[in-house]
Amino acid sequence: MNESHFPAPPATAAPALRRMFVRDMVLDAHIGVHAHEFGRTQRVRINLDLAVREEAGPQGALMSRPGVGRDDLARVVDYERIVLGARAAVAAGHVQLVETLAERLAELCLEDSRVAHVRVRVEKLDVFPDMQSVGVEIERRNS
């Protein structure tokens, strides 16, 4: 079992949030600051954890305890859009820092105003032979 998953957040009294996540996406990225890292790819693992506001209830108010919503993709954050956007961000060209890639991924997730908060983890997998990964985890909020 892979231990890279985020720990489950404790239950809160936050009104009507759902957690949407992308786990253990492994991509070949052009990333790094050292000369030997240019012109080649390195494996990175990406994990995304989004806190998404539930759809509005009657009169546009957020529901504190929503029932079963419409069975309609338009009412939720589409994880396929997030996955395809993450793949495109990695494929867009060389990035020097894992921090920069993480910030770009956070911006991608926060483009949807329903995303209240995002946690992004980017790990380089093959840097040191005596460890599984090195990387960064950031958190960002929508205003």
Side-chain angles (χ1 to χ4, degrees):
M1 175 180 223
N2 190 330
E3 296 299 323
S4 70
H5 294 192
F6 296 112
T12 68
L17 287 177
R18 87 176 63 233
R19 297 269 177 201
M20 194 273 284
F21 56 87
V22 175
R23 294 282 185 259
D24 298 329
M25 181 186 331
V26 177
L27 301 171
D28 290 323
H30 290 274
I31 192 164
V33 297
H34 301 292
H36 68 273
E37 295 177 303
F38 285 82
R40 61 180 283 264
T41 60
Q42 297 181 67
R43 291 184 320 136
V44 295
R45 179 172 40 229
I46 296 169
N47 281 276
L48 308 170
D49 185 15
L50 291 72
V52 180
R53 293 179 195 95
E54 296 283 352
E55 68 181 351
Q59 290 81 40
L62 280 178
M63 298 182 291
S64 61
R65 185 173 169 263
V68 175
R70 300 179 328 274
D71 189 22
D72 181 358
L73 182 61
R75 78 176 182 92
V76 298
V77 174
D78 182 0
Y79 58 79
E80 183 177 30
R81 183 189 71 79
I82 300 293
V83 167
L84 294 176
R87 289 178 179 157
V90 169
H94 193 92
V95 176
Q96 293 192 78
L97 304 173
V98 290
E99 290 84 354
T100 302
L101 180 56
E103 290 159 358
R104 289 177 183 173
L105 294 171
E107 286 180 356
L108 165 73
C109 295
L110 294 172
E111 286 175 358
D112 189 314
S113 62
R114 295 171 294 184
V115 177
H117 176 260
V118 63
R119 182 182 307 152
V120 177
R121 179 184 291 167
V122 177
E123 301 169 85
K124 291 171 71 173
L125 300 179
D126 304 313
V127 176
F128 299 107
D130 59 343
M131 62 190 69
Q132 186 178 36
S133 66
V134 295
V136 67
E137 182 174 289
I138 65 169
E139 296 186 34
R140 299 290 185 267
R141 294 190 179 282
N142 247 336
S143 52

